[in-house]
Amino acid sequence: MTAEATMPAGRTTAPLVASVDGLKVYFQTKAGLVRAVDGVSFDILDGEILGLVGETGCGKSVTARSFLRLIPTPPGVYAGGRIDFWSREAREHVAPPVDLLKISPADLLTIRGNRIAMIFQDPGKALNPAMPIGDQVAEVFYQHRSQELLDVWEGRAPRIMRRAASQRTRTIERLALRFPPLRSQARRLRRRVDELVAGALAETQIPNPRKIMSSYPHELSGGMKQRVMIAQALACNPDLLIADEPTTALDVTIQARIVELIRELQERHQTAVLYITHDLSLVRRVADRIAVMYAGRIAEMGDTDDVFYEPQHPYTRGLLAAVPSFAHKRGELSAIEGTVPELIDPAAACRFNTRCAHATDLCRSVDPALIARPGHRTVACHAYASPEMLGVAADRLPHVDGGPL
Amino acid sequence: MTTLRDDTPPVGRRVEAEPVITLRAVQKYFPVREGVFQQIVGNVQAVDGVSFDVPRGQTVGLVGESGCGKTTLGRCIAGLTDTTGGGVYFRLSDRDRRFLDEFDGTPAERRTSEQRAQAAAIDAAHRIDRLKGDAWRVYRRNCQFVFQDAFSSLNPRQLVKDIVGRPLRVHREASGADLIGRVVALLESVGLGRQHLYRYPHQFSGGQRQRISIARALALDPEFIVLDEPTSALDVSVQSQILNLLHELQQERGLTYLFITHDLGVVRLMSDKIVVMYLGEVVEQAGADELFASPRHPYTEALLAANPDLLERGEEAEMRGLEGTVPDPARPPHGCRFHTRCPVATPRCGWEVDDAVAWLLDNTTVLNEMSGVERTSDFEATLRFGGDEASAEARSLLDGEAPRPMRSALVELGVHGPELRIRFDPIERVRLDDVGEGHLTSCILHTGCAEGG
């Protein structure tokens, strides 16, 4: 049984930006085929922040990287499903989406960093240590905005400048650009790029962007580096921003500033954001809607407050109860016993059955599908299924306290 | 089983039990070397004058952001790093503690020779860097450490039985079958079992590895354990298992913990007393409930605001961060070290030339015209610019647009041609002061005036 996308009706108020349908990403290892992402489906609506939460190894990063096909193959295998993506133009002209898993590498290059941008977890590793900040951000413009760079020539740019604006010059041309008569034109281009880069950096509230542009990553603090990453990601005003644990490497006080910044920029540009994190109290502050992942599957999806105040899946309940808060007494923190199951050849069963207090023999033999629930929510738990649908007796269904409603 | 511990009093919150560990003005500087001859050009002040007690049977939480010196302090306490000043005392009696406080309070020239002798005797018997032979061994077995990263703190080439049995062997407590029995008992006490004896660390998950670390720390039945971010590398569901385990062990064995973490939710749950550090200094110290209910230091407030409780609703649930970055610990700011980022800073918080220059550098381009600085002291300097206009512009910027507390703190701001003279009132370091019921804070808004300010 596969987990079908069962989006409830009435959810189509905002147009879709991306729709993941039955995504399967496996990894070929010596021990066997690891089903890191096994049938994940969700939609990202225009202008929303979707939080993707889960513990280490649940497949959230793999899901995110699949959007840009950043999983190395081999060992990775895109085993099935599709990721449909509507760019702004496609949405305006009601054009069909592109399947990011199928399009050619050349087409993908026009989307990467342009229509879909990504912020990585560790800004220290994601920035090139041997390149000044300004040059790194400028690459985005050279790559995707070369036409805009030639504005100053008003459409009459010489061919060599057109090549220079997309960084496709040959060695001999680069040499020619350093001497008159082309030198002044090359400088004009450089000034135009610097202007755009400074603008992009200033938008992320970096003080004194001109100075930052000539410094190297090691001269900046972690928070500042992450701002540079955000500036780089938003430089082309993408339709979808994927933030993969963008604040995990930062201190809490800096983290709060970065989160504020992402929210603010998201509101200003109306960019859809896929925000991946393992930090529940953080995602609660960031996301409009969240999807909880467990062992390569979506366990539960819904509006953030609904999921936090009325968690339905036993895993979500366990996870929320495990976060220390003022309501807990020492030593009475509830824990989810056991560990995450192996993802090599998992049995056809609920992935959570080994750690679930409510599991029945049904959970150990039948894989639950995502079930649509009232309030635009979906849960993958048999406790919320109707016995007729599964074709089993009602007493074989598990019972979760407080539900099914 | 031989125990070297006295009878442990029952765990009681709020009752100030006798301290196991007493810190007095602990200081750890790391020299910064430069040049061909590796001359010392400065010191990174990782820990600078930290004093607090760790009462027996309780948990003291040590909170702060990365780089504030909390891990260095933990290592100093466990004797893994030498201190460069002050002392870590083990099992100091109340009488000795009072004597030491009095002794430190009296100026050096007024100390009598008997007092000096008594202080030296206390140091020799209790100060961990003066302990020798058996006394040092007693300390080592009574103070254990659990490291943050359970992946790198377990030897990948040793079996679990060797890792957990190692302390028992080193202290010649057990060997052979007896050793195996002890190791199994230890493993069982942390939720593992006999089946795990002959496995290597890589065969375990993160949570299980941390359990092995804890079992190793418990091997010699210690009195005191330094827990250095024991759960920050773990997922929440596993974290809660480990936190519950640590609590159970504390109840069973009457352990004393120093819990180092940056996670406020965890520290609130686990601690009786919380110590907040910023840039090598303690800025606030109070009982756990008291600290969360009424934080006095703006830094503590900022930490709480940046990390609201999961269940908080409404306005309280909004995350608020801090501007700016942590200053260089090799040149920490004068006065209150937090004043450069403080939202409620006053003119008396320790403004200095560096703050003015940093502000100009971050917010304006006028310093591009600067040709030199002549610094008389940290509070007084002459900036030389390329032209008269630049110096006048810098003056008007500092006078008109700089943050208000910094502007008000300027006692002199004069232009002499291309030169700009700036002078602040020198301000001494702030001190921790009691603001009621054992709640200590260093914020001058609560403690009154800074010395000399």
Side-chain angles (χ1 to χ4, degrees), chain B residues 285-305:
Chain B
Q285 179 184 332
D289 301 333
E290 162 78 9
L291 188 92
F292 276 85
S294 58
R296 300 290 170 83
H297 200 282
Y299 179 63
T300 316
E301 282 172 15
L303 274 182
L304 295 179

Side-chain angles (χ1 to χ4, degrees), chain B residues 81-321:
Chain B
T81 313
D82 293 335
T83 53
T84 48
V88 179
Y89 298 88
F90 177 56
R91 286 185 183 161
L92 202 59
S93 71
D94 264 344
R95 210 171 55 96
D96 288 347
R97 190 156 56 108
R98 273 196 300 277
F99 172 79
L100 270 184
D101 285 345
E102 210 174 285
F103 182 76
D104 291 337
T106 40
E109 65 275 6
R110 283 176 48 202
R111 293 171 182 165
T112 63
S113 55
E114 295 99 79
Q115 280 178 325
R116 281 169 210 274
Q118 196 181 344
I122 293 174
D123 275 6
H126 298 286
R127 207 173 117 177
I128 64 159
D129 51 347
R130 299 283 169 81
L131 298 179
K132 295 245 161 31
D134 279 346
W136 174 239
R137 266 192 289 282
V138 168
Y139 179 68
R140 287 302 283 233
R141 60 183 302 149
N142 272 300
C143 174
Q144 298 288 332
F145 206 97
V146 174
F147 295 90
Q148 171 175 6
D149 187 0
F151 289 75
S152 57
S153 61
L154 301 177
N155 189 335
R157 298 176 66 158
Q158 282 188 353
L159 295 167
V160 167
K161 78 167 176 70
D162 296 322
I163 293 171
V164 178
R166 178 62 119 206
L168 295 169
R169 265 179 203 282
V170 169
H171 285 264
R172 295 168 203 247
E173 281 235 344
S175 60
D178 184 27
L179 181 81
I180 297 293
R182 292 276 295 271
V183 170
V184 170
L186 284 166
L187 288 177
E188 277 166 0
S189 71
V190 297
L192 299 171
R194 185 177 283 277
Q195 70 275 21
H196 297 113
L197 273 180
Y198 294 93
R199 290 193 196 166
Y200 289 99
H202 76 262
Q203 292 169 292
F204 293 91
S205 67
Q208 284 174 316
R209 270 187 251 209
Q210 205 53 280
R211 285 171 193 267
I212 296 170
S213 289
I214 293 169
R216 176 174 62 181
L218 292 174
L220 292 166
D221 204 19
E223 196 168 356
F224 174 63
I225 302 183
V226 179
L227 302 160
D228 185 7
E229 309 239 14
T231 59
S232 63
L234 305 175
D235 281 318
V236 266
S237 68
V238 183
Q239 164 175 292
S240 55
Q241 295 171 10
I242 298 290
L243 293 180
N244 285 345
L245 171 71
L246 287 171
H247 178 67
E248 263 166 47
L249 292 169
Q250 184 171 36
Q251 293 291 311
E252 275 168 26
R253 297 167 175 244
L255 292 165
T256 306
Y257 290 147
L258 178 70
F259 201 106
I260 302 172
T261 181
H262 64 270
D263 189 327
L264 288 157
V266 171
V267 87
R268 171 184 219 169
L269 182 77
M270 296 300 288
S271 318
D272 300 290
K273 184 166 109 174
I274 295 177
V275 176
V276 184
M277 278 184 80
Y278 182 76
L279 211 62
E281 282 184 343
V282 173
V283 295
E284 187 156 21
Q285 179 184 332
D289 301 333
E290 162 78 9
L291 188 92
F292 276 85
S294 58
R296 300 290 170 83
H297 200 282
Y299 179 63
T300 316
E301 282 172 15
L303 274 182
L304 295 179
N307 199 1
D309 198 274
L310 183 66
L311 300 174
E312 204 86 69
R313 284 175 190 251
E315 201 155 288
E316 287 290 298
E318 284 300 312
M319 275 171 90
R320 287 185 304 276

Side-chain angles (χ1 to χ4, degrees), chain A residues 55-56 207-208 221 251 253 256-257 260 281-282 284-285 308-309 325-326 330-331 333-336 338 355, chain B residues 13 65-66 235 237 240-241 244 247 269-272 309-310 312-313 317 319 321-323 325 361-362 364:
Chain A
E55 295 182 285
T56 316
N208 222 342
S221 65
D251 280 322
T253 54
R257 295 288 302 148
E260 274 169 35
S281 56
L282 178 67
R284 159 144 149 58
R285 266 103 208 165
F308 271 87
Y309 292 117
S325 84
F326 60 74
R330 207 180 304 174
L333 207 56
S334 58
I336 307 177
R355 302 173 79 187
Chain B
R13 299 182 75 165
E65 292 180 288
S66 54
D235 281 318
S237 68
S240 55
Q241 295 171 10
N244 285 345
H247 178 67
L269 182 77
M270 296 300 288
S271 318
D272 300 290
D309 198 274
L310 183 66
E312 204 86 69
R313 284 175 190 251
M319 275 171 90
L322 273 179
E323 290 293 341
T325 51
L361 203 60
D362 279 349
T364 69

Side-chain angles (χ1 to χ4, degrees), chain A residues 172-222:
Chain A
I172 183 120
E173 289 172 331
R174 274 201 294 280
L175 199 66
L177 285 170
R178 288 167 62 183
F179 295 99
L182 288 172
R183 190 170 62 184
S184 62
Q185 300 213 11
R187 282 186 181 163
R188 259 164 96 186
L189 180 69
R190 184 72 224 182
R191 270 202 298 277
R192 175 82 182 126
V193 174
D194 282 352
E195 212 173 274
L196 287 169
V197 171
L201 290 175
E203 199 169 20
T204 56
Q205 295 160 12
I206 289 178
N208 222 342
R210 293 275 174 181
K211 185 176 141 246
I212 296 289
M213 279 162 65
S214 57
S215 41
Y216 286 87
H218 73 266
E219 297 174 81
L220 307 182
S221 65

